[in-house]
């Protein structure tokens, strides 16, 4: 059982800020997906390429096609990337605006600040 608060007003503000605990759990799950260096590498590469196929992504990231395909499946399930088929080739792009913004803090575009506008 929690102890009696020293400053109830701060406790109330903290609880109000916390809001729905399910939302916190969802964000923790998203961050867990991003915590893997290989998956984050793929997301950064996809961001800079804007749209890229598995074999080119594997080449850019220094990973095997199989490892990239497995990671992309997980990233798709979590809504972080989408694929667009063009003939026999599927090209992947970022699908999550929050991840896009986070990537700008991880690897900002050369010569720009942390925010920029993409065409398209």
């Amino acid at each position: 059982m929690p102890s009696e608060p020293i400053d109830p007003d701060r406790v109330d503000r903290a609880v109000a800020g916390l809001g729905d605990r399910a939302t916190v759990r969802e964000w923790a799950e998203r961050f867990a997906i991003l915590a893997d260096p290989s998956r984050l590498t793929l997301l950064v590469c996809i961001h800079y390429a804007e749209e890229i196929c598995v074999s080119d992504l594997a080449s850019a990231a220094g990973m095997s096609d199989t490892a990239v395909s497995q990671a992309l499946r997980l990233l798709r399930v979590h809504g972080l990337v989408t694929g667009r088929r063009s003939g026999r080739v599927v090209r992947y792009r970022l699908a999550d605006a929050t991840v896009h913004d986070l990537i700008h803090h991880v690897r900002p575009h050369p010569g720009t600040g942390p925010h920029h506008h993409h065409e398209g």
Side-chain angles (χ1 to χ4, degrees):
M1 176 145 210
S3 61
E4 192 64 31
I6 294 172
D7 190 338
D9 182 53
R10 289 188 189 274
V11 172
D12 290 344
R13 291 192 330 229
V15 169
L18 180 60
D20 181 14
R21 291 176 191 260
T23 300
V24 172
R25 282 190 297 276
E26 289 169 18
W27 275 100
E29 188 174 304
R30 289 176 84 188
F31 284 124
I33 298 300
L34 296 175
D36 177 78
S38 295
R39 289 190 294 261
L40 186 56
T41 295
L42 294 177
L43 291 167
V44 171
C45 289
I46 291 168
H47 169 68
Y48 278 100
E50 294 185 15
E51 198 172 64
I52 191 168
C53 67
V54 170
S55 59
D56 289 349
L57 185 54
S59 179
M63 297 168 62
S64 71
D65 287 13
T66 302
V68 168
S69 292
Q70 290 172 345
L72 285 170
R73 274 193 289 281
L74 183 64
L75 294 172
R76 274 194 324 265
V77 166
H78 288 277
L80 302 180
V81 300
T82 59
R84 181 184 63 81
R85 184 170 291 283
S86 176
R88 293 175 41 135
V89 176
V90 178
R91 295 191 193 319
Y92 292 89
R93 69 181 314 124
L94 288 183
D96 185 285
T98 302
V99 170
H100 175 262
D101 290 344
L102 286 172
I103 287 171
H104 285 272
H105 293 285
V106 174
R107 296 292 306 150
H109 284 262
T112 66
H115 301 286
H116 74 280
H117 174 72
H118 284 283
E119 293 180 26

